[in-house]
Amino acid sequence: MLPARNGARNNGPALADSLTILGIESSCDDTAAAIVRQVEGARPEIMSSQVFGQTDLHAAFGGVVPEIAARAHAEKLDFMVEAALKEADLNLSNVDAIAVTAGPGLIGGVMSGVMCAKGLAAGSGKPLVGVNHLAGHALTPRLTDGLEFPYLMLLVSGGHCQFLTVHSATKFTRLGGTIDDAPGEAFDKVAKLIGLPQPGGPEIERAALAGNTTRFNFPRPLLDRENCDMSFSGLKTAVLRARDSLIAEQSGLYQHDQADLAACFQIAVADVLAQKTQRALMAQEVTALAVAGGVAANKTIRAALETVAKEAGTTFTAPPLALCTDNAAMIAWAGLERFRLGKLDDMSLAARPRWPLDETASPMLGSGKKGAKA
Ligand code: KG4
Ligand code: ZN
């Protein structure tokens, strides 16, 4: 049974048994607000989704600058909420709850979002729901494809890399993850090393199209370990060494060298992700393999994962790219799932820079350029 609905859409009659949630996201370099509605028994609807990316603000610094990010979030959040309500043709009195990313992420940004959500909740009298950003990513396949629990989620972005078994909206088991760089971070660093612009992922993918995947035999780190942990930092160093010896030999890097380095790096990342995914799928019975995060846009990686899923006799799901990368619809949806379970917060909700989804798993090492890895 759904909790009672607090408001009605301003242009129509009250919908029985429907939930409308405003979501707010500001944990990294995207300021986002969105509204998701679910009428009981029907597929959820993303009524609006507004994302303001801060890439331009950080471009000159070669990474996200936390102070700049926090200030930009604080300045932009109100406008994004207003825009999301307008796009959905609603006002605040029509939403049932306000969901907000309460971590993990860059603390200044998370605090901006939490303070904004608390202000809206206090002003409107609507309930507040704190959402784990990773839960937002991990639950997205239920919003887009209606996946049933339990499923395996591979989260691969510029800040995250982990395998999660999603048992329910509140129970996640981390099977493994990177012990150093996230794959997107490695793509970005390698792009910089071989003279390609940022963000590096799409650039490497483009350059790799013309490359020879067998010219350099880059390492596949940690494949000898039986678990699902990964490492991408040594791979980056191997690319650096190959680049340096080419420069030493021929006094520079030709375009075909750039393409070959990109192709060999990309195939090494794809191999590692595919083999570790195979291991993660073997460890349990799941309904599907799902992937999310910016790196999930990579066609070579997607194809490798699709093959692994097929071989394991399971289905493969990748939400549309706009919902794979950071957005607030996933926060609204995760908030909706929590709200339905009665998991509400109050004004004591705190911003948490680190907040592992699986509190029982041992902490992961390192802190990425986009904040703490959880
Ligand atoms: O999920 P996302 O938009 O942001 C967070 O990290 O939170 O992921 C961005 C990362 C960047 O590192 C970017 O280089 C990488 O995803 N990326 C890709 C591709 N498109 C984006 N990596 C590999 N291939 C791509 N096509
Ligand atoms: Zn994210």
Side-chain angles (χ1 to χ4, degrees):
M1 183 63 192
L2 294 170
R5 190 167 181 275
N6 295 325
R9 195 170 185 175
N10 58 0
N11 59 354
L15 290 167
D17 297 326
S18 98
L19 274 180
T20 306
I21 308 288
L22 166 66
I24 294 174
E25 157 63 32
S26 58
S27 64
C28 186
D29 57 352
D30 292 295
T31 314
I35 292 173
V36 170
R37 171 174 286 170
Q38 186 175 36
V39 177
E40 199 175 18
R43 290 291 283 271
E45 178 197 355
I46 299 173
M47 300 181 75
S48 63
S49 183
Q50 298 280 333
V51 182
F52 174 79
Q54 300 178 353
T55 308
D56 293 348
L57 297 179
H58 304 285
F61 304 96
V64 179
V65 183
E67 290 77 9
I68 294 177
R71 189 173 314 166
H73 286 307
E75 282 170 5
K76 206 79 190 172
L77 275 163
D78 292 3
F79 296 104
M80 301 311 284
V81 169
E82 209 174 353
L85 286 166
K86 188 159 181 239
E87 186 192 344
D89 193 18
L90 296 178
N91 57 53
L92 206 51
S93 67
N94 304 126
V95 307
D96 294 299
I98 297 157
V100 61
T101 300
L106 298 172
I107 188 64
V110 180
M111 278 172 71
S112 302
V114 168
M115 294 312 286
C116 172
K118 281 184 180 174
L120 292 171
S124 64
K126 303 291 178 181
L128 183 66
V129 186
V131 169
N132 182 309
H133 176 87
L134 303 173
H137 280 302
L139 295 170
T140 299
R142 289 174 51 74
L143 168 65
T144 55
D145 296 84
L147 279 200
E148 296 288 337
F149 300 121
Y151 55 90
L152 177 68
M153 160 61 68
L154 169 60
L155 198 51
V156 270
S157 71
H160 314 295
C161 178
Q162 53 188 305
F163 288 106
L164 292 163
T165 307
V166 186
H167 302 280
S168 74
T170 54
K171 185 163 184 254
F172 307 85
T173 308
R174 183 163 67 73
L175 299 175
T178 184
I179 59 165
D180 41 53
D181 289 356
E185 204 175 344
F187 267 96
D188 294 340
K189 286 177 180 170
V190 165
K192 205 182 272 181
L193 286 178
I194 64 174
L196 293 171
Q198 298 294 310
E203 295 294 332
I204 296 250
E205 181 166 24
R206 201 173 3 257
L209 288 174
N212 169 3
T213 53
T214 58
R215 179 164 167 204
F216 306 98
N217 187 17
F218 291 141
R220 272 65 169 159
L222 302 193
L223 284 190
D224 52 330
R225 285 206 207 156
E226 281 303 306
N227 61 21
C228 295
D229 284 342
M230 292 164 280
S231 159
F232 296 100
S233 128
L235 186 50
K236 178 192 65 197
T237 312
V239 176
L240 172 70
R241 290 219 185 90
R243 179 205 71 174
D244 285 349
S245 59
L246 282 175
I247 292 175
E249 273 166 33
Q250 51 190 41
S251 309
L253 216 53
Y254 295 101
Q255 211 168 352
H256 67 265
D257 297 324
Q258 211 177 31
D260 293 345
L261 287 166
C264 293
F265 164 75
Q266 180 175 266
I267 199 74
V269 175
D271 271 359
V272 170
L273 290 173
Q275 291 202 38
K276 292 286 178 169
T277 302
Q278 200 172 35
R279 206 161 286 169
L281 282 172
M282 274 176 354
Q284 75 222 298
E285 282 280 312
V286 286
T287 60
L289 164 67
V291 65
V295 179
N298 187 285
K299 292 194 187 67
T300 303
I301 292 173
R302 245 178 215 247
L305 296 175
E306 227 168 328
T307 305
V308 167
K310 210 168 172 184
E311 282 167 6
T314 192
T315 52
F316 174 75
T317 305
L321 194 58
L323 294 172
C324 269
T325 55
D326 286 353
N327 66 89
M330 69 180 191
I331 303 305
W333 171 248
L336 193 151
E337 295 231 49
R338 288 186 73 81
F339 187 77
R340 214 193 267 134
L341 296 170
K343 305 252 177 223
L344 304 183
D345 290 281
D346 57 25
M347 289 297 153
S348 65
L349 176 68
R352 297 176 63 177
R354 277 185 188 262
W355 183 3
L357 263 186
D358 180 352
E359 308 263 4
T360 63
S362 53
M364 291 167 74
L365 302 175
S367 168
K369 66 172 176 142
K370 294 191 168 187
K373 293 187 183 93

